Every structure is written in C-alpha cells, then in structure tokens.
Amino acid sequence: MYVYDEDIINARLNEIKNDFINCYENTFACYAGKAFLIKYMAELVKNSGLGLDVVSGGELMTALKANFPAEKIEMHGNAKSADEILLGVKSGVGRFIVDNPDELKILSEISRANNFTANILLRVSPAVNAHTHSHIATGHKNSKFGFPAEGEMLNDAVKFSMNDANINLTGLHFHVGSQLFDPIDHIQGLEKIIKVILRLKRDLDFTTQELNFGGGLGAVKNPNLKSVALKNFVSPLMEILERECKVHNLLRPKAIIEPGRWIISEAGIMLYTVENVKYLPEIIYVAVNGGMADNPRIALYGAEYDAININNLNGNSMTVKNNNIPVSIVGRCCESGDILIERSNLNEARRGDVIAIYNTGAYTFSMAGNYNKLLRPAVVFVKNGEAKLKVERQTYEELLNGEL
Ligand code: LLP
C-alpha cells in the first residue's frame, strides 16, 4: 500500500510559497506531476494555488478531471503526439514547453486550425553534467531533451515563433537533472542559459520574459536525515539572475520552478507484508508481497531506502542477532534483481509482519507496472489521524480489462 501524509505535502507546497513565491516578485511554481499524480493530488496542488506540470495526455486528463485550471498547466514531453497536442490546445493549457522543431511546427498547425494562440517556452539543454545517476541527468550535451544551447536549431525556433501568429514564445526552460542535493548544477545551467538569453537578445532582439529552472531537488531516505531546504536552491539562482539582468540591462524574466520529488517523496511510505523469512548460512532474506512492480527505482537507479518493522519497533536488529549476517529485503518478482533493500538493519521479522519503507512517495506509484501480473497496490492519504482511500487496489478483473 502507498500511504501519503497530507500535512507533509501541504508543508512543502507552503514552503514554496513562503520561500520562493512570496520572497521574490514575478515568480511561479508548478508541481511536476510525473513524480506522483492522481486526481486527489491535483486537487491539493490546485488548492495551494500553484501550477501543474504534465507530461502526457494521461497526466493532463487527470488534472482536467480534478478541475485543475488549464491556464496553470504546463505541458511537457519530448515526444508529444498530435493527439496530445490537440488535447492541450482544446483544453487551453497555459504553457507548452516545446522540445524540438517538429513539435513546434505541429503545434503551430494545430493551433492555427483551432484558432488558438499557444504560449510556449522552448526547452534548452544547457550542456551540464549533473551530479546524479546517469539515467536521471537530463541537461547534458547530446541529451535527448530540448534544443542545444549552442547552434542554429534554437535560433531558428525563436525566429519561427516570432513570426508565427499562433505561437506566443514567452521564454526558455531548462532542467539539469533529478535527485540533486547541491545547487551547483542548477547554477551552471543558469549561467549557460543567461548567455543564451543575451545571444537571443543581441541576434534576434528577442526578450526572454519567462525562465523556468526545472525541478531536480533531492529527497533524503529517512526522516532522521535533514531535508533539502528550498531556499538553498532558489536563493543563489535568484541572486545570479537578478545580478546578471542588472549588469546587462535586461528585464528580469519571471522565474518559474517545477519540483516533483522534493514535494512528494518524503510525504510517502510504502507498506509491505512479510511473506517469509529465509535463513541461509551467509544471508537472510525477508521476502515481501510486492517489489519491483510497485517500486522499480532500486532496479533502475540503484535507489537506496530504509525500512522499519512496524510489528517489532523496539526489537533487536536481525543482523546483529544473527552474527552480523546481512539481511536483504526482497520483492516477489521472478528476478534476482528484485531487491528492495540490500543490507537492511531491520528489526527481527516474521511472516505476517508489516514493513514500512520510508520516503517512497516519488516515482513509485507513478512508475508501477503489472510485471508477473501483480496487482497495483492501493493509495491511502492520512490527515489528522484519519485515513482516506484514494485509489483502490487493482482487482483481477481490472487487470484483464481490455484483453480481447
Ligand atoms: N521538470 C522536468 C522537465 C523534468 O524532466 C523533471 C523530471 C522534473 C521537472 C521533476 O524533477 P524532480 O523535481 O522530481 O527531480 N524516474 C526517476 C526520475 C525521473 C525524473 C525525470 N524528470 C526517478 O525515479 O528517480
């Protein structure tokens, strides 16, 4: 089961308002829905007044079904289909973040056919090697995302947009990568983008009115560790942006951020039931009723988590009790790589115990699949000691739905 603490989510949304939006003029923030999006989450974001970044027709539909105001939706994606663009146009999304020349052209055509003016940002790849797992670094040279900062492709897209009646280019976007604990990569990205802003001004007399710094703030793995403070990221970025704009006599663009993981990861835990405990001479396996189907992040990125045994909070460490033999918490999928925690300091566990894995709110439910035809777990939100079921556990009937 995925369990979310609503107060923690609201505290993060408030931190964004207090330490960013209310601290600096002309700013905005969106929640990156790819980290975790259900209708209820969209409602919480809507109530906070922040915007929402969606990356597919499915995420857009989720937001629309939650009556999320379309003008506060940013539509992302490096390979948007014509159908998705049309859905975005028809629902009047506030911003399209355009990734490539083909997309720009089709967006212009669809907008013209629908008598619509699309507000857009161009996504720029700043050629920064972010300090994170290579699979979640996104702003490096030769990245599949966005327009390279150097070269004609970006200039051509700006020219095209400036001459197109159905495209309103308001500025630029960059995202260096994800799960970052130090703002250094964002700072490097911003420095490169400022050069691009100056070049576009000089060469094309284009004024960047909006600049989106992306997301990327990291999440810690248990509640005893100190969380990343939003301020540590946004204050150096805002300082640099304001200083450089002053030096170059530029209008300071509206600054936008779009964190996902930082808002939701530490608000979530996952609950598993122990199915069996296997004592081998050199290792102990605690096998649970889920695994890589509900959280593929360990297999994909080597993500690290911490767990506790809820049925034995004050007991002894299983490893210590067993002559320091390592304890591995493993999933139930038919793969040796389906390990949830490789060397866990779990307290002694038995069949039937419930284990909680901390800080699993981001990119777990949203990346879950049905491998081995496992059923997707339920989602529950808790607030003031009360639990509310928000997504039902999948049934065999739903699992087979659509098979002809
Ligand atoms: N904006 C853009 C354009 C992005 O590509 C992403 C994430 C975000 C915002 C939000 O990033 P965050 O604040 O959550 O770091 N599945 C991977 C993470 C992939 C992130 C992709 N883009 C994981 O489980 O670690």
Side-chain angles (χ1 to χ4, degrees):
M1 180 183 286
Y2 301 93
V3 183
Y4 286 90
D5 183 325
E6 208 169 308
D7 287 338
I8 299 182
I9 299 172
N10 285 328
R12 290 292 161 102
L13 296 171
N14 283 331
E15 192 172 332
I16 292 180
K17 286 195 270 186
N18 294 335
D19 290 352
F20 182 56
I21 293 188
N22 298 338
C23 261
Y24 307 92
E25 275 172 32
N26 205 18
T27 45
F28 193 55
C30 293
Y31 166 63
K34 70 201 80 177
F36 170 74
L37 193 66
I38 60 171
K39 286 185 287 180
Y40 190 64
M41 183 63 197
E43 271 172 40
L44 294 183
V45 178
K46 178 177 71 178
N47 294 343
S48 77
L50 300 187
L52 185 66
D53 143 9
V54 301
V55 79
S56 66
E59 288 189 0
L60 178 55
M61 280 309 290
T62 308
L64 295 173
K65 292 277 181 203
N67 292 319
F68 202 94
E71 70 276 7
K72 286 188 177 175
I73 296 179
E74 286 187 348
M75 195 161 175
H76 267 281
N78 72 304
K80 302 175 187 78
S81 71
D83 283 350
E84 287 174 314
I85 293 174
L86 182 61
L87 183 62
V89 163
K90 287 213 160 142
S91 42
V93 299
R95 295 283 177 283
F96 285 86
I97 317 293
V98 174
D99 174 273
N100 60 75
D102 281 333
E103 181 192 334
L104 183 56
K105 203 161 148 261
I106 185 121
L107 174 60
S108 154
E109 284 165 17
I110 291 174
S111 297
R112 192 170 322 116
N114 287 276
N115 226 347
F116 181 75
T117 304
N119 298 316
I120 72 161
L121 301 182
L122 295 174
R123 179 164 179 173
V124 178
S125 167
V128 167
N129 292 320
H131 296 80
T132 190
H133 192 283
S134 64
H135 292 177
I136 52 175
T138 45
H140 48 289
K141 192 172 173 216
N142 295 326
S143 164
K144 77 168 182 177
F145 299 103
F147 293 82
E150 306 279 340
E152 281 308 300
M153 195 193 280
L154 179 63
N155 281 36
D156 288 347
V158 173
K159 273 187 252 169
F160 178 98
S161 305
M162 289 172 84
N163 291 319
D164 191 298
N166 297 92
I167 298 284
N168 175 32
L169 173 61
T170 61
L172 306 177
H173 170 285
F174 71 100
H175 174 75
V176 285
S178 212
Q179 183 65 344
L180 298 166
F181 291 90
D182 190 301
I184 184 73
D185 303 309
H186 288 76
I187 290 173
Q188 270 190 21
L190 176 60
E191 283 167 348
K192 298 235 176 137
I193 296 293
I194 288 171
K195 288 198 179 120
V196 173
I197 291 175
L198 292 171
R199 187 185 82 216
L200 295 177
K201 182 77 196 158
R202 187 194 63 213
D203 295 354
L204 305 173
D205 197 26
F206 174 74
T207 301
T208 302
Q209 293 165 279
E210 297 186 337
L211 178 60
N212 187 321
F213 302 144
L217 283 72
V220 295
K221 65 176 180 171
N222 73 51
N224 301 321
L225 298 168
K226 202 169 164 348
S227 303
V228 168
L230 182 77
K231 262 200 241 139
N232 292 350
F233 275 75
V234 294
S235 38
L237 292 173
M238 292 306 287
E239 218 168 87
I240 293 169
L241 186 62
E242 288 185 342
R243 186 190 65 217
E244 290 300 306
C245 287
K246 220 174 247 163
V247 169
H248 297 284
N249 204 14
L250 282 178
L251 177 89
R252 197 269 270 160
K254 178 175 192 166
I256 304 158
I257 56 170
E258 50 186 25
R261 185 191 320 268
W262 179 84
I263 293 174
I264 197 69
S265 187
E266 295 170 29
I269 59 170
M270 288 175 70
L271 300 179
Y272 295 93
T273 304
V274 174
E275 296 291 6
N276 61 72
V277 181
K278 190 181 284 177
Y279 290 86
L280 299 183
E282 294 174 7
I283 189 165
I284 301 169
Y285 285 115
V286 176
V288 299
N289 65 339
M292 67 196 298
D294 49 70
N295 183 0
R297 299 197 61 258
I298 305 101
L300 282 173
Y301 321 110
E304 288 178 10
Y305 291 104
D306 279 340
I308 51 167
N309 181 353
I310 289 184
N311 290 91
N312 190 10
L313 287 174
N314 303 312
N316 297 312
S317 150
M318 213 167 180
T319 296
V320 173
K321 189 113 192 273
N322 292 279
N323 301 321
N324 288 325
I325 294 178
V327 171
S328 235
I329 303 179
V330 294
R332 56 164 298 166
C333 289
C334 302
E335 305 211 12
S336 294
D338 183 17
I339 298 167
L340 287 169
I341 301 180
E342 181 117 40
R343 277 174 178 269
S344 167
N345 58 1
L346 196 70
N347 287 350
E348 257 192 299
R350 292 183 304 188
R351 174 172 168 80
D353 285 353
V354 175
I355 281 180
I357 303 193
Y358 286 124
N359 297 1
T360 42
Y363 300 106
T364 47
F365 178 81
S366 66
M367 294 182 79
N370 288 119
Y371 182 43
N372 290 175
K373 289 243 167 171
L374 298 181
L375 300 177
R376 199 210 47 238
V379 178
V380 167
F381 271 63
V382 293
K383 188 176 164 65
N384 301 330
E386 225 183 277
K388 292 177 278 188
L389 180 63
K390 290 299 173 189
V391 181
E392 291 177 339
R393 180 169 290 132
Q394 216 175 13
T395 61
Y396 288 133
E397 208 173 20
E398 284 161 347
L399 183 72
L400 293 168
N401 210 2
E403 286 197 23
L404 306 177

